[in-house]
Amino acid sequence: MEQYKSTYGLVGYPVQHSLSPLMHNAAFQELGVDAVYKLFPLQEGELEPFFSDLKKDGSPIFGLNVTVPYKEKVLVYMDSLSPFAEKVGAVNTVVVSAKRQLTGHNTDGPGFLTHLTELGFNTAGKRVSILGAGGAARAIVTVLCLVPERPEAVLIYDIDHHKAEALVQDLGQRFDTRLIKVVHSLDDLNLEISDLLINATPIGMKISDPCLLEGFQVSRDMLVYDLIYNPAETRLLKWAKEQGAKTSNGLGMLFYQGVLAFQHWADVQLDKAVKDKMWASLKTGLKS
Ligand code: NAP
């Protein structure tokens, strides 16, 4: 029989820029596990045969991450979903059992919340404003609606407000979304009374990208969280910092969604030494 390493990996397109291999291979190395995390850049037509092979005995793959643009498209290949992934309607982590059954999880929302908690932000009674209504916003909005520390309000602005309305309507079929309001202009986000502003758009990734909120004011007590982590300080974060607001980029979210995914695959809690190696690998990866 052909010898192989237990394999994990990231399915998406494109995936070449991903830091996930660094983070997960660092964890395997620290744990002394003979496994490897690879990139699987797949075109849409390759998804079906890939997942069909995954279910066959003899496949070396025991766990996956899923990224843009397939987080919703892979739902049909799952044999079961975690309650949270079912609510979000998207999967970013797949666990493959010994019997080749696939369970879909979503660690984006919990990863974001874990980082928010680490930053000392408690969502109870808070007013949250979100820019963007795509895949990442979907996971974040879901976690904000389900968390026991319920925010007072969640306002969403997307350049395409129909998209934001469709998102809320879709989520509303699975849980109570009454605290969410779609706004049609940046003015209506009422930033001066907001406690948390989240950028869930890709605007800021390119050096030439504008600050979406130039000319607006934020309060000094506000936390401005940009999901983007490369560059480490987007124009939005610079703008917020200049006004005295607290800021964070999305590296912590990336880290915690990865830690939670690994814990699903291994079915163990990772200790501090392993997590430290994962975090250090992300920092190194961003520098190079
Ligand atoms: P996405 O599905 O493409 O969603 C982005 C949304 O923002 C789209 O609905 C887009 O509308 C909207 N948008 C674009 N420009 C806008 C503007 N000027 N004002 C308001 N809305 C605008 O992307 P995603 O997967 O949610 O990811 C969003 C960002 O989060 C990316 O930068 C991604 O790298 C980052 N992210 C980070 C993490 C992490 O772990 N830190 C995890 C996931 C995602 P159109 O479709 O009409 O352009």
Side-chain angles (χ1 to χ4, degrees):
M1 199 172 107
E2 194 188 340
Q3 288 297 306
Y4 58 72
K5 270 191 181 189
S6 293
T7 302
Y8 296 78
L10 175 65
V11 167
Y13 200 89
V15 288
Q16 273 347 101
H17 62 282
S18 172
L19 298 176
S20 291
L22 284 175
M23 174 166 48
H24 293 299
N25 286 323
F28 288 135
Q29 200 180 357
E30 180 66 15
L31 288 164
V33 173
D34 190 22
V36 63
Y37 187 102
K38 295 180 176 173
L39 295 174
F40 296 107
L42 299 182
Q43 301 288 346
E44 188 152 355
E46 295 173 305
L47 267 191
E48 205 282 318
F50 180 88
F51 277 91
S52 164
D53 282 351
L54 190 60
K55 292 187 181 195
K56 289 181 188 154
D57 286 338
S59 165
I61 300 173
F62 287 94
L64 291 171
N65 286 131
V66 181
T67 189
V68 179
Y70 301 132
K71 288 184 186 181
E72 291 162 50
K73 293 197 170 94
V74 300
L75 285 172
V76 293
Y77 305 120
M78 299 300 117
D79 297 297
S80 60
L81 291 174
S82 71
F84 184 71
E86 193 160 8
K87 290 218 165 57
V88 182
V91 158
N92 82 324
T93 300
V94 181
V95 175
V96 187
S97 74
K99 291 185 173 165
R100 313 301 306 169
Q101 295 286 296
L102 310 188
T103 305
H105 298 263
N106 189 305
T107 67
D108 284 332
F112 170 75
L113 194 65
T114 306
H115 189 215
L116 207 57
T117 306
E118 186 183 84
L119 293 170
F121 190 94
N122 184 331
T123 50
K126 300 293 183 355
R127 294 179 62 87
V128 184
S129 301
I130 303 182
L131 297 169
R138 172 178 281 268
I140 288 173
V141 166
T142 304
V143 91
L144 290 175
C145 284
L146 298 177
V147 75
E149 293 80 16
R150 207 167 160 75
E152 180 189 302
V154 175
L155 307 185
I156 308 182
Y157 169 78
D158 193 285
I159 200 160
D160 176 355
H161 63 83
H162 297 295
K163 192 166 171 182
E165 271 150 16
L167 171 72
V168 179
Q169 204 174 14
D170 180 47
L171 296 178
Q173 293 175 18
R174 296 187 286 279
F175 54 88
D176 182 359
T177 50
R178 275 176 297 179
L179 63 81
I180 308 173
K181 189 174 161 210
V182 173
V183 298
H184 293 190
S185 78
L186 291 168
D187 282 318
D188 292 338
L189 284 175
N190 288 331
L191 291 179
E192 56 295 344
I193 55 161
S194 195
D195 302 295
L196 172 64
L197 168 69
I198 302 165
N199 178 32
T201 79
I203 309 297
M205 292 177 85
K206 289 191 236 130
I207 293 295
S208 56
D209 280 346
C211 166
L212 287 178
L213 294 168
E214 200 69 64
F216 284 82
Q217 289 225 303
V218 289
S219 81
R220 296 176 73 84
D221 299 329
M222 190 182 196
L223 171 64
V224 178
Y225 193 106
D226 199 326
L227 263 59
I228 296 169
Y229 48 82
N230 192 12
E233 187 174 84
T234 57
R235 282 201 189 181
L236 181 84
L237 291 186
K238 192 163 179 287
W239 160 86
K241 211 182 254 179
E242 279 165 4
Q243 295 188 58
K246 295 177 275 273
T247 59
S248 174
N249 68 26
L251 195 63
M253 174 178 171
L254 178 77
F255 169 67
Y256 282 115
Q257 67 74 32
V259 167
L260 294 170
F262 198 102
Q263 291 183 164
H264 282 304
W265 300 325
D267 202 19
V268 289
Q269 296 292 306
L270 292 176
D271 65 24
K272 186 174 177 309
V274 180
K275 288 194 241 180
D276 286 350
K277 288 280 182 209
M278 292 170 85
W279 179 250
S281 72
L282 287 179
K283 290 288 215 186
T284 310
L286 275 179
K287 272 192 223 132
S288 55

